[in-house]
Amino acid sequence: MASKLSSGTVVLLLVGATVLLIASRPPVWMLLLLGSFALAALYIVVRTKSRYDPLDPRFGSCIPPISKPEASAGNVPKQHSDV
């Protein structure tokens, strides 16, 4: 319950700060700068709380690995040309 209360308080503070920023009419470049900082902070928080690790083999990939044929001295692959 305390977690929901703190999350609600944070959301309420963010909405209030956004309304104050829009009402005070700062320059557009300042809004873009603050917005980019907010998005970067949100990305960092979500990544640190996420359990997804792209390097973990348990998650797997939908793209199969590329298998390269073994090249030996007698078996040279043919070169494809765009003619």
Side-chain angles (χ1 to χ4, degrees):
M1 182 66 181
S3 175
K4 287 184 179 181
L5 183 62
S6 65
S7 297
T9 305
V10 170
V11 168
L12 186 62
L13 286 172
L14 287 175
V15 169
T18 304
V19 168
L20 284 175
L21 275 174
I22 293 172
S24 66
R25 294 192 171 245
V28 174
W29 65 267
M30 193 178 296
L31 284 177
L32 289 174
L33 183 66
L34 291 174
S36 64
F37 282 145
L39 287 176
L42 179 66
Y43 174 77
I44 290 170
V45 167
V46 168
R47 281 291 291 171
T48 56
K49 293 189 181 288
S50 174
R51 291 181 16 191
Y52 173 72
D53 181 14
L55 298 178
D56 191 353
R58 291 179 296 163
F59 287 102
S61 175
C62 58
I63 302 172
I66 299 172
S67 59
K68 295 182 180 178
E70 294 293 325
S72 62
N75 185 12
V76 179
K78 295 181 181 180
Q79 297 291 330
H80 297 289
S81 62
D82 297 331
V83 177

